[in-house]
Amino acid sequence: MKGIVNTRLDKKLPSILSQQGLLEPGEIETAIQMAKKDGKPLSVVLIQSDKVKESELLGAIAHEVRIPPIDLEKFEPEVSVLEMIPQELAASSGVLPLTKIDNVLTVAVSDPFDIVQLDDIRRVTGSELRLVLSTETTIQSAIASSYSTDDRQMEELFENAIEPEIEFSEDELDFENINLEDLTGDASPVVKLVNLIIYKGIRDRASDIHIEPQEKRIRVRYRLDGVLTEAFTPPKKMLNAVVSRVKILSSLDIAERMRPQDGKFQLRVEGRQIDFRVSVIPTIHGEKVVMRILDADNLALSLDLLGFEPHSLDHFKHAVVQPYGMILVTGPTGSGKSTTLYSSIKEILSVESNFVTVEDPVEYQLEGVNQTHVNPKRGITFAGALRSILRQDPDVILIGEIRDAETLDIAVKAALTGHLVLSTLHTNDAASTVTRMVDMGLDPFMVASSVVLIAAQRLARKLCDSCKEPLEDVPPRDRLLKIGFKPEEIDSITLHRPVGCSRCSNGYKGRFALLETMVMTDELKRLVISGGSAVDIKEKAIPEGMMTLRRAGLLNALRGRTSLEEVLRVTMAD
């Protein structure tokens, strides 16, 4: 959801930042244009783009208006005070009520210059206001958590749960504009429960929702920043009805409980269209459901915003502007390969070229790109679709995944005959991708001739800037050297650790991509043709300019962007 643009604060901020020397005029103008383009407050854009730290921005505004700043993470609003200002008004005004003494109400504000808005708050509450200062992002986050009723609603649903009937009326299938009111209406407990599970997953920016049957309970978990976190434990008696509800939404067979099923559905939530990919499999305790959330608002669609190291980013940008050849992105499921491929297409998209994709399924729709989805039931396979695409006069072809030798053979021939081909493979690193292609039946000469670049990718969690702390017990020197740090880096090393606060999940907030890029140089081509192993290829690629995943991770740990334990979790030793 777009932020509320604080026009009065936006007008004052440039002069405040300039007077206090926090930003140059050119930097301020760039941030203003970004704010207008994204429809976000200038203060939010400045913090999100790392142009100014939140504490610096807050200090600058506080100095200007002589209003004390407050750390909302260390303050819990009184319940009785929250009831004085409805959540909708608090969110739209950027105001959070905190406490009340006599007739003086203390409120945290993000825009102290908005006199009209503050007068409205005075009229609604009938109180005099004492202002304390925070930022728009922090206040909106605090409002969401302070007014949250998820846990209470979930407890009520569980307490009132009875063995439910597995039948739903047509009006219960309408998911248009889900909001909290949908969770407290006249719908059945099962409908409310599924609505709440989905709504909370979207609100918490989960990538996947897991509904897992245990022996005596149901376990609901969300994948947040790549790690599963347990959220709810509904009673086991609700399992069949919950699964059936999800099946109906996904157009699956509710009577079939003994074989896996895959489906999808779309919801419109708070003005955004969100796609869900659903997988249902039988387990010993009942059917397990996994819903993957595909939210286009979370798609960066810019290579510059993915967090790649400049060295690797240069390699990738150089590869995607080549007129022909093959670019492969490798890594496990959920490592961000599709996002990188979409961002690559966005980087070079133009009206002069014909861009065609074949995917299973089409995850995000791209304007100006001809996208085809695989449908094996109707005879549309990757290989079959690719043959047809080659008769469509393509310039750039994106193949969602190379799964078999036939698809690989067609893709390589396309790359050798004047097409730029982008695709993915499930391998652990860049070097092993070459041997994987040979194992699939491709001649080493064809690999060397067609491939422009191979990239291995992982997603690492970012440390929360609000609570991260320097690591006191730094591993000994020999251990750091073994991990992959250079001797000169260890002498003045500062690492950080996750702590955890109200703004993050266990000390982490968001993810960024680690990228290992192997450019197919002449030396590497000769080694591939001669039958070099994955180890040989990697040893040659590093002096040829390849930055490994581990090295990319360690550089980010040195910058304080992530922790050492997170780097070790997602990368293998070089």
Side-chain angles (χ1 to χ4, degrees):
M1 183 174 60
K2 295 291 185 187
I4 305 301
V5 179
N6 294 331
T7 54
R8 291 169 180 79
L9 179 58
D10 283 356
K11 291 177 180 178
K12 297 282 188 179
L13 263 182
S15 62
I16 294 174
L17 296 170
S18 180
Q19 288 173 8
Q20 300 196 27
L22 291 177
L23 286 178
E24 297 296 327
E27 294 176 306
I28 296 173
E29 182 59 32
T30 299
I32 291 173
Q33 296 305 317
M34 290 174 61
K36 290 180 179 178
K37 179 181 177 182
D38 296 341
K40 294 180 179 180
L42 178 59
S43 59
V44 173
V45 169
L46 288 168
I47 294 170
Q48 289 181 344
S49 61
D50 292 328
K51 292 184 180 296
V52 176
K53 291 183 179 179
E54 185 172 336
S55 58
E56 293 176 338
L57 182 65
L58 196 59
I61 300 172
H63 181 269
E64 177 72 17
V65 298
R66 299 294 191 269
I67 294 176
I70 186 172
D71 186 350
L72 290 179
E73 293 176 13
K74 300 177 181 179
F75 198 99
E76 185 174 344
E78 298 173 4
V79 176
S80 59
V81 172
L82 289 172
E83 294 174 352
M84 297 180 67
I85 303 178
Q87 182 177 0
E88 293 76 12
L89 177 59
S92 63
S93 305
V95 172
L96 178 67
L98 300 175
T99 186
K100 184 181 180 184
I101 300 176
D102 296 330
N103 196 42
V104 179
L105 177 65
T106 300
V107 295
V109 299
S110 58
D111 186 356
F113 301 102
D114 195 340
I115 306 301
V116 175
Q117 196 81 263
L118 294 176
D119 283 341
D120 290 340
I121 299 297
R122 287 189 183 91
R123 282 197 299 272
V124 169
T125 61
S127 305
E128 292 299 317
L129 300 185
R130 175 179 178 265
L131 304 183
V132 291
L133 192 65
S134 187
T135 62
E136 170 78 8
T137 303
T138 300
I139 286 181
Q140 293 296 341
S141 176
I143 289 172
S145 59
S146 299
Y147 284 91
S148 176
T149 57
D150 289 351
D151 294 337
R152 177 178 56 79
Q153 292 179 44
M154 191 64 70
E155 290 174 4
E156 291 176 357
L157 285 175
F158 297 164
E159 289 172 1
N160 300 328
I162 57 175
E163 193 69 37
E165 296 291 334
I166 309 176
E167 292 184 7
F168 306 102
S169 62
E170 288 298 320
D171 60 335
E172 289 175 347
L173 302 182
D174 180 13
F175 265 65
E176 280 292 308
N177 296 306
I178 289 183
N179 53 52
L180 285 175
E181 294 176 0
D182 294 319
L183 311 176
T184 57
D186 297 328
S188 70
V190 173
V191 173
K192 291 180 183 178
L193 176 58
V194 174
N195 285 10
L196 185 56
I197 289 172
I198 292 174
Y199 182 86
K200 180 172 171 58
I202 295 170
R203 192 194 67 189
D204 293 350
R205 302 179 71 85
S207 60
D208 301 87
I209 302 172
H210 291 240
I211 302 175
E212 305 169 320
Q214 307 295 301
E215 184 177 1
K216 297 180 180 179
R217 65 187 177 104
I218 306 171
R219 181 171 64 177
V220 177
R221 295 194 291 174
Y222 297 115
R223 188 172 293 279
L224 306 174
D225 294 333
V227 178
L228 284 170
T229 303
E230 186 169 313
F232 308 126
T233 55
K236 184 65 176 287
K237 61 187 177 184
M238 299 185 75
L239 176 64
N240 288 341
V242 168
V243 173
S244 295
R245 170 65 173 162
V246 175
K247 284 182 177 180
I248 288 176
L249 288 170
S250 312
S251 300
L252 300 178
D253 185 355
I254 65 172
E256 177 57 67
R257 297 183 181 178
M258 301 305 294
R259 65 179 179 85
Q261 297 188 69
D262 296 313
K264 61 183 178 180
F265 62 93
Q266 292 182 337
L267 304 181
R268 191 159 190 82
V269 182
E270 295 178 340
R272 316 198 310 267
Q273 179 173 298
I274 299 177
D275 296 320
F276 291 78
R277 275 198 347 232
V278 178
S279 173
V280 182
I281 63 168
T283 70
I284 59 173
H285 296 303
E287 292 180 286
K288 176 186 175 182
V289 176
V290 175
M291 291 180 278
R292 169 152 289 189
I293 303 174
L294 303 173
D295 186 354
D297 279 6
N298 294 336
L299 193 64
L301 287 184
S302 171
L303 290 174
D304 294 312
L305 298 178
L306 297 180
F308 298 155
E309 288 298 306
H311 179 78
S312 300
L313 180 61
D314 289 343
H315 281 174
F316 208 93
K317 283 190 171 183
H318 181 265
V320 297
V321 297
Q322 299 307 307
Y324 58 86
M326 177 178 281
I327 298 171
L328 292 170
V329 182
T330 75
T333 300
S335 59
K337 300 188 298 297
S338 294
T339 298
T340 298
L341 289 181
Y342 282 130
S343 300
S344 303
I345 292 291
K346 193 72 172 179
E347 185 83 13
I348 57 176
L349 190 61
S350 69
V351 296
E352 290 84 11
S353 299
N354 181 19
F355 292 78
V356 187
T357 77
V358 53
E359 308 168 60
D360 182 22
V362 174
E363 294 189 354
Y364 300 102
Q365 296 182 23
L366 299 177
E367 182 70 26
V369 179
N370 305 289
Q371 296 174 270
T372 303
H373 62 83
V374 171
N375 190 338
K377 293 180 180 179
R378 297 185 177 181
I380 305 176
T381 62
F382 274 111
L386 191 51
R387 285 195 189 91
S388 298
I389 284 173
L390 289 173
R391 294 192 287 271
Q392 289 280 316
D393 185 33
D395 295 293
V396 180
I397 304 170
L398 188 155
I399 307 169
E401 182 183 349
I402 294 177
R403 298 176 179 174
D404 52 58
E406 184 181 14
T407 304
L408 177 61
D409 182 65
I410 300 171
V412 167
K413 289 178 180 176
L416 291 172
T417 55
H419 305 88
L420 182 64
V421 178
L422 298 90
S423 190
T424 69
L425 269 176
H426 284 286
T427 57
N428 289 324
D429 58 19
S432 62
T433 304
V434 173
T435 55
R436 169 67 174 150
M437 294 171 75
V438 174
D439 290 342
M440 292 174 71
L442 197 64
D443 186 277
F445 176 78
M446 298 285 279
V447 177
S449 301
S450 62
V451 173
V452 176
L453 175 138
I454 300 174
Q457 183 167 315
R458 298 292 187 277
L459 293 180
R461 292 178 293 172
K462 289 192 290 187
L463 284 169
C464 175
D465 289 330
S466 299
C467 64
K468 67 180 181 182
E469 293 180 350
L471 182 64
E472 296 180 357
D473 299 325
V474 178
R477 182 182 180 86
D478 58 342
R479 170 65 175 157
L480 292 175
L481 288 171
K482 188 174 181 180
I483 288 172
F485 287 105
K486 295 181 179 181
E488 60 270 23
E489 294 169 342
I490 297 175
D491 296 335
S492 58
I493 196 168
T494 300
L495 301 173
H496 291 78
R497 70 178 187 90
V499 177
C501 65
S502 61
R503 301 186 192 178
C504 64
S505 176
N506 299 317
Y508 295 96
K509 185 176 182 180
R511 291 189 290 176
F512 66 99
L514 301 176
L515 198 71
E516 172 181 289
T517 50
M518 187 176 80
V519 178
M520 195 60 70
T521 63
D522 291 339
E523 288 295 322
L524 283 175
K525 288 179 180 180
R526 282 192 280 270
L527 181 58
V528 170
I529 293 172
S530 65
S533 67
V535 174
D536 296 332
I537 294 170
K538 184 173 184 177
E539 289 179 350
K540 173 63 70 173
I542 292 175
E544 288 285 300
M546 182 181 80
M547 178 183 291
T548 65
L549 287 168
R550 171 60 64 87
R551 183 62 187 160
L554 293 179
L555 288 174
N556 280 281
L558 287 171
R559 298 188 190 105
R561 193 180 194 186
T562 190
S563 66
L564 179 58
E565 64 179 353
E566 178 67 5
V567 174
L568 299 179
R569 184 182 73 87
V570 300
T571 66
M572 298 280 286
D574 296 335

